[in-house]
Amino acid sequence: MTDRQPSDARIVVRTLSDLARIAGVSAGTASRALAGNSLVNAETRSRIVALAREHGFRPNQMASGLRRQRTGVIGIAIPLGHDQRQQISDAFFMTLLGHLADALTERGYDLMLRRVIPDHDEDWLDRFIGSGMVDGVLVIGQSDQFDRIEDAADGYRPMVVWGNHREGQRHCVVGSDNRLGGRLAAERLIAGGARHIYFLGDVNAVEFDARFAGASDVAQRLGIGITALPSHLSPDRLESEVADNLDRSFEPGDAIFAATDTLAVASIARLRAMGVDCPGLVRVVGFDDLPLAAHTTPALTTVRQDIRAGAFAMVDLLIRRLAGEDTESIVMPPHLIVRRSA
């Protein structure tokens, strides 16, 4: 009796990731092959297309810009690889989501929202793209998933990402010049007498890393010390981490640059609990200019990014990409908003 391998004809292929798995390639390669991309050699393209036909997987399930059927739904994914316990209720997410919902509604689209923990689902983006449930995808933040987003962008047109732009990247992004924003924050603090800057944020997130890099550019050029203090935005860790990071004896010339307004507000509250005068002894600058920034005590100096304009730009670019256009990324200039905290 001859041993026989089980036929993979009985395998159900519902998503691009399923097809990639039986073909023994990455989801990005499968996507490119089905799109006829010449980056995939002809033999591999033919094999993947044949497997797709054998298993009844239609390329239009990928929701490419060329497909004829529409769901009227845009997917919104929030990857949280760098901070897995962060919640969608975060003030920044809620502000951006509100503007995205307004922009999509004006264009006649509904939205499908997913909070993604990449460690639990390595194929999170390919599964969303290949689900057949959305016409296009908006990704909020690159987290630590830059390479995965790049890979998906090679074979999938209708995707726009809120995040940081790097020279030469392939995915279409809308976001602020985070490095410039970091420079603006550091320059303000140093102009106010800062001799050492404590940066609160998780530099594993692409945007936060760029903000820290910008502040470091200025600090190093002017001979000012700068220290990164890892701080997360998940509700169960935020206050305790800020407290631990600020558990020190502050001296004249110490200052805080927080990667987000949320961390900045938590820092001010902790300084107050410690009896440290802000801005008398320690000045604080945040990032975002969320609605809460103007209502803290003291009111928060922050780097403003135009979240509403960015949201509407994301939707506009996505609609154009659905129509088959190639679009460039949009990098918005940040602006320093000076209030009492610095």
Side-chain angles (χ1 to χ4, degrees):
M1 188 172 184
T2 303
D3 291 337
R4 300 184 61 182
Q5 296 295 326
S7 170
D8 63 4
R10 289 171 289 181
I11 297 175
V12 177
V13 177
R14 293 192 176 93
T15 70
L16 187 64
S17 295
D18 294 337
L19 179 64
R21 191 171 295 110
I22 65 170
V25 299
S26 71
T29 297
S31 175
R32 288 188 287 272
L34 292 175
N37 194 314
S38 60
L39 290 175
V40 182
N41 69 61
E43 181 181 349
T44 301
R45 286 203 311 270
S46 297
R47 182 168 60 85
I48 292 172
V49 169
L51 282 170
R53 289 173 179 162
E54 178 184 349
H55 293 277
F57 181 82
R58 295 171 298 163
N60 67 359
Q61 287 177 280
M62 297 190 308
S64 71
L66 300 175
R67 81 181 188 175
R68 299 173 182 175
Q69 295 180 343
R70 300 290 186 189
T71 65
V73 177
I74 298 299
I76 299 179
I78 304 178
L80 296 171
H82 69 291
D83 195 352
Q84 297 185 4
R85 298 199 290 261
Q86 188 178 359
Q87 299 298 309
I88 293 177
S89 57
D90 176 270
F92 172 78
F93 288 153
M94 293 304 296
T95 302
L96 180 55
L97 282 169
H99 292 311
L100 286 174
D102 290 342
L104 288 169
T105 299
E106 286 185 10
R107 296 298 191 103
Y109 282 93
D110 294 321
L111 64 87
M112 177 185 296
L113 178 62
R114 286 189 176 179
R115 175 180 178 270
V116 180
I117 307 300
D119 282 357
H120 299 170
D121 183 5
E122 293 184 357
D123 296 328
W124 64 272
L125 186 51
D126 296 313
R127 288 185 185 279
F128 210 8
I129 289 170
S131 68
M133 297 186 290
V134 297
D135 294 335
V137 173
L138 299 171
V139 181
I140 299 181
Q142 292 141 322
S143 184
D144 59 358
Q145 299 294 295
F146 185 92
D147 291 339
R148 192 158 293 163
I149 295 169
E150 282 281 88
D151 188 48
D154 284 340
Y156 185 71
R157 181 187 297 273
M159 178 174 68
V160 179
V161 180
W162 174 279
N164 192 68
H165 182 266
R166 293 180 183 174
E167 194 66 33
Q169 73 178 51
R170 300 185 297 279
H171 65 270
C172 181
V173 71
V174 174
S176 296
D177 186 334
N178 289 286
R179 193 160 190 143
L180 174 57
R183 293 191 194 109
L184 294 175
E187 287 170 354
R188 180 65 189 180
L189 290 170
I190 293 170
R195 292 294 173 264
H196 195 102
I197 298 172
Y198 294 99
F199 176 83
L200 269 64
D202 184 355
V203 295
N204 289 310
V206 173
E207 292 169 277
F208 294 177
D209 182 54
R211 294 169 194 178
F212 176 63
S216 297
D217 290 342
V218 175
Q220 291 170 9
R221 187 177 75 245
L222 298 177
I224 303 299
I226 186 166
T227 303
L229 302 174
S231 303
H232 297 85
L233 289 161
S234 49
D236 60 334
R237 291 196 287 179
L238 189 150
E239 289 188 10
S240 62
E241 287 187 352
V242 168
D244 289 342
N245 284 328
L246 300 187
D247 184 16
R248 63 187 68 244
S249 296
F250 287 100
E251 300 177 357
D254 288 342
I256 294 170
F257 172 30
T260 71
D261 287 349
T262 300
L263 285 168
V265 170
S267 297
I268 290 173
R270 183 58 186 173
L271 292 173
R272 184 184 302 116
M274 296 167 61
V276 176
D277 183 21
C278 172
L281 180 60
V282 176
R283 299 185 178 208
V284 178
V285 173
F287 202 108
D288 286 331
D289 196 27
L290 297 173
L292 58 85
H295 303 291
T296 61
T297 304
L300 180 63
T301 293
T302 187
V303 178
R304 182 174 190 265
Q305 51 180 349
D306 194 335
I307 299 172
R308 182 183 187 279
F312 276 75
M314 288 179 72
V315 172
D316 179 64
L317 290 178
L318 184 64
I319 299 302
R320 289 165 55 191
R321 293 178 76 84
L322 280 165
E325 290 186 40
D326 288 325
T327 61
E328 298 291 332
S329 294
I330 295 176
V331 180
M332 302 180 295
H335 301 281
L336 184 71
I337 306 298
V338 178
R339 300 191 181 100
R340 283 281 300 149
S341 73

